[in-house]
Amino acid sequence: MVKDLDQFFELFEAELRMNSELTGYHRFTNSEKMYEFRKAYIKQRIQYVVDSVRKSNSKIWDVGCGFGTTSILLALLGHEVVGTTLEFYYNSIDERIKYWEQYGDLSKLSFAYENIYTQDHKEDEFDYVIAQDTLHHLEPFSDAVHIIYKTLKKGGELIAVEENGDNVINNAKNFKRRGFKRVTTFYDEKLGQNISFGDENTRNLEKWKKEFSVAPFNFIDDSVEYVRFYWPRAYRRHSVEEILEKEKRLWKKSAWRRKYLFFGLNFRVQK
C-alpha cells in the first residue's frame, strides 16, 4: 500500500522506465544529467498538492489531469478523485490504473474526457479542486472561475500549481513561439466541439489574484510558494535538499528574483 510521496515515487520511477509514453511526458528518467533537476521539480509540485489536501477522505476534482499521476496518488492516499482532461493522454490511463491497482485501492478514482464549459456541474460537490499546469489553458477564464466556485463546498479550496507568468526566460520562449496570441481555438473530434484554449497564457501572482476576484474567493496569502530557481548544473554540485532550502530562503528574501527568475508559482484560494 502506498502511504506517502517517497514510496509513490519509487513505484512511479519503475513505471516510467517501463512506459516510453510516460517517460517522454515526465522526462526526468530519460536524462541522467537532468534527472535530479527535473525530478525535484515534479516532486516538489506534487508535494505541494498533497500537503494542501489537509482534510482526510476528501472529494477532489483534478482539472486537466493529464496522464492522471496526481489523481492516482491522491486516490491511493484515500481520497475520492475525479480527473478530467481534453488531452490524448486519456487513452493511456486504463493501462496506468492496472499498474497502480497492485499497490492500493483505486475504487474511488474516476476519469472523464470532457470540456468543463459544456458540462452540467453539481453545486457544492468538491472539497478541493486541483489545477496543475491547467489554469493557463482555461478560456474564457472568468467562466472557469465561476464553475470552480460553484463546484466547491463552502470552505473548499482551489489548489493551483502554475508557471510564474513573470519568468523572463519562459516568457521569451513563449513569445518567440506564439507572439501575442495567447488564446487560440481547436476542434475536438472526440467531442465534436470547437474549444477555446489558452496557449501558455500564464499570469503573475497579482494577475491571478485579480482573475479570481470575479467570484467571492478568498486568496490565501500564506499559501504562496515559488519553486525552481537554480539551473541543472547546481544539482550536480549540491544535494537536492540543500538546493530546495536555498530556494525557499531566496524567494522569501529577494523580491526581484522571486518575481522574474523563479519558474513555478503555487497558491490556494478558498470559497
Side-chain angles (χ1 to χ4, degrees), residues 15 18-22 72 90-101:
E15 181 191 23
M18 294 186 296
N19 187 325
S20 59
E21 189 177 21
L22 276 178
I72 291 169
Y90 181 77
N91 297 324
S92 302
I93 289 176
D94 284 345
E95 182 181 352
R96 299 204 69 194
I97 290 175
K98 290 178 183 178
Y99 173 82
W100 284 103
E101 281 178 332

Side-chain angles (χ1 to χ4, degrees), residues 62-65 130-138 141 161-162:
D62 187 359
V63 182
C65 64
I130 297 168
Q132 191 169 340
D133 286 323
T134 298
L135 293 183
H136 60 261
H137 291 315
L138 298 177
F141 190 74
V161 175
E162 269 291 323

Side-chain angles (χ1 to χ4, degrees), residues 13 42 47 54 96 120 158 176 191 197-198 213 250 265:
E13 283 197 45
I42 295 170
Q47 185 71 66
R54 301 175 305 285
R96 299 204 69 194
D120 184 18
L158 167 78
K176 183 178 180 180
L191 296 177
F197 185 76
S213 68
L250 190 60
L265 169 64

Side-chain angles (χ1 to χ4, degrees), residues 48-201:
Y48 180 83
V49 174
V50 172
D51 291 344
S52 297
V53 178
R54 301 175 305 285
K55 180 182 176 182
S56 60
N57 301 312
S58 295
K59 187 169 184 181
I60 300 169
W61 179 18
D62 187 359
V63 182
C65 64
F67 273 109
T69 299
T70 302
S71 294
I72 291 169
L73 170 60
L74 291 171
L76 290 170
L77 295 177
H79 303 290
E80 181 180 354
V81 186
V82 178
T84 61
T85 186
L86 280 173
E87 297 280 8
F88 69 90
Y89 316 132
Y90 181 77
N91 297 324
S92 302
I93 289 176
D94 284 345
E95 182 181 352
R96 299 204 69 194
I97 290 175
K98 290 178 183 178
Y99 173 82
W100 284 103
E101 281 178 332
Q102 304 173 84
Y103 305 109
D105 181 11
L106 293 181
S107 61
K108 295 193 293 183
L109 173 64
S110 62
F111 291 98
Y113 188 96
E114 69 173 38
N115 176 4
I116 71 168
Y117 295 99
T118 57
Q119 295 300 117
D120 184 18
H121 298 280
K122 295 180 181 179
E123 293 186 24
D124 307 320
E125 182 176 6
F126 297 103
D127 299 291
Y128 298 95
V129 174
I130 297 168
Q132 191 169 340
D133 286 323
T134 298
L135 293 183
H136 60 261
H137 291 315
L138 298 177
E139 293 296 338
F141 190 74
S142 60
D143 291 350
V145 173
H146 288 294
I147 291 169
I148 292 168
Y149 186 86
K150 174 184 176 180
T151 62
L152 280 169
K153 298 176 183 178
K154 185 177 180 180
E157 294 179 4
L158 167 78
I159 302 167
V161 175
E162 269 291 323
E163 295 178 10
N164 175 16
D166 276 333
N167 181 273
V168 292
I169 297 172
N170 206 41
N171 278 343
K173 287 168 59 179
N174 287 336
F175 184 79
K176 183 178 180 180
R177 183 182 56 81
R178 53 110 164 100
F180 290 107
K181 190 175 182 181
R182 287 174 168 260
V183 180
T184 187
T185 302
F186 70 92
Y187 182 75
D188 187 289
E189 294 184 357
K190 193 177 183 74
L191 296 177
Q193 299 174 357
N194 287 318
I195 308 290
S196 292
F197 185 76
D199 188 356
E200 304 304 320
N201 191 12

